[in-house]
Amino acid sequence: MHRPAFLPRLFAAAALSALVGLAPPTGAQAQQPALDTPAGKAAIEQIVRDYLLAHPEVLVESLTAFQERQEAAQAEAQRGALVSRQEELFRNPASPVAGNPQGDVTLVEFFDYQCGYCKAVHADVRRLLESDGKLRLVYKEFPILGPASLTASRAALAAHRQGKYDALHAALMENRGQLDDDKIFRIANSVGLDMERLKKDMESPEIQETLQRNMRLASELNIRGTPAFVVGDQIIPGAVGLDRLKELVAAGRAG
């Protein structure tokens, strides 16, 4: 799965929570410096250091517990978003649809045209559509891998207005190598798009709003990388093969 670059967050709050139960020594407390003085702070830091060196498992346990609480909270928020954002996720008219528009199960794909994993799974997604005449596929442009990704998504959504979204989507996914604006426009021209109209439509506020809504939706669903699939009440991050896709669709159809 491709993710936007960022520095990993440290669980500093968890580390501090591990130390809350520490109490200062009971002996000769009157001789201890006040905690709000440099000497007092240095004394507490030494106590903390000595305790952690003697009991490193406390910090490990605290970090683990903190991470578990964070993951549980994220999962709960994700479930809530799946329920509250059904219309935006599955039935937003601005999102291109492939397959059977009246299909009995909907698969949603978040993707980026510069994501190698998205390109790898593209062929399996197409084979799934060809083999399942009752499947509805919703495309969610999620350009997180740089300026060229954004240009490609804007071009694809503009192509949708000319009835050529599928053609440009496939051509961009099947492109090998990095994209830039010139290459994107060459690919768009190769699938028969009116380039003057395409470039004008790419600047429309509606396309910008569609991309912003996709970004907000992905954030609410805790989708941080590409590709990511949604079917029924399941969110599946990362590239999955044809057999797994079929299983997910079957589960969504059964549910």
Side-chain angles (χ1 to χ4, degrees):
M1 171 186 287
H2 267 114
R3 298 177 184 272
F6 62 91
L7 291 175
R9 293 187 177 89
L10 298 177
F11 296 118
L16 291 176
S17 69
L19 307 174
V20 169
L22 293 178
T26 57
Q29 287 186 350
Q31 282 72 45
Q32 294 296 326
L35 298 182
D36 60 353
T37 65
K41 291 177 181 178
I44 289 298
E45 289 173 0
Q46 188 61 48
I47 292 170
V48 169
R49 181 178 183 279
D50 291 345
Y51 186 88
L52 290 179
L53 287 174
H55 305 282
E57 70 280 0
V58 171
L59 185 55
V60 174
E61 291 170 3
S62 181
L63 289 170
T64 300
F66 180 79
Q67 185 171 10
E68 289 173 351
R69 289 195 299 272
Q70 290 290 95
E71 290 174 351
Q74 289 173 355
E76 183 62 28
Q78 190 179 67
R79 285 191 292 270
L82 273 173
V83 173
S84 65
R85 301 303 301 274
Q86 291 278 303
E87 287 294 320
E88 177 76 16
L89 184 59
F90 295 111
R91 290 176 286 277
N92 183 346
S95 296
V97 172
N100 185 341
Q102 284 77 46
D104 62 354
V105 65
T106 297
L107 178 69
V108 180
E109 180 184 7
F110 288 80
F111 62 90
D112 183 300
Y113 288 114
Q114 294 201 100
C115 166
Y117 299 103
C118 299
K119 292 177 183 292
V121 79
H122 169 70
D124 282 340
V125 172
R126 303 304 296 184
R127 280 193 284 268
L128 179 66
L129 283 174
E130 292 167 1
S131 65
D132 190 334
K134 295 182 178 181
L135 177 63
R136 178 174 177 266
L137 175 64
V138 175
Y139 292 112
K140 293 292 187 183
E141 304 275 342
F142 189 37
I144 58 175
L145 297 176
S149 296
L150 180 58
T151 298
S153 285
R154 288 167 51 217
L157 291 173
H160 190 36
R161 299 184 176 191
Q162 297 186 40
K164 290 185 176 291
Y165 179 87
D166 280 346
L168 183 54
H169 175 82
L172 288 169
M173 279 298 181
E174 291 163 10
N175 170 72
R176 294 296 174 259
Q178 292 297 306
L179 291 171
D180 56 34
D181 287 7
D182 288 343
K183 180 180 283 190
I184 291 165
F185 291 133
R186 286 199 303 272
I187 293 171
N189 189 57
S190 74
V191 300
L193 283 156
D194 179 334
M195 296 304 297
E196 183 176 350
R197 179 184 172 189
L198 181 84
K199 292 179 181 180
K200 180 179 178 180
D201 286 343
M202 285 173 64
E203 302 302 323
S204 74
E206 292 81 9
I207 284 178
Q208 181 64 22
E209 173 62 18
T210 295
L211 293 173
Q212 290 175 348
R213 291 176 70 170
N214 286 354
M215 292 291 185
R216 289 195 297 268
L217 180 61
S219 177
E220 291 180 20
L221 295 174
N222 197 34
I223 292 173
R224 306 299 183 193
T226 54
F229 296 92
V230 182
V231 58
D233 61 356
Q234 292 192 71
I235 298 176
I236 305 93
V240 293
L242 180 60
D243 290 343
R244 178 59 176 149
L245 287 170
K246 288 181 176 180
E247 291 174 1
L248 293 168
V249 169
R253 187 167 280 141

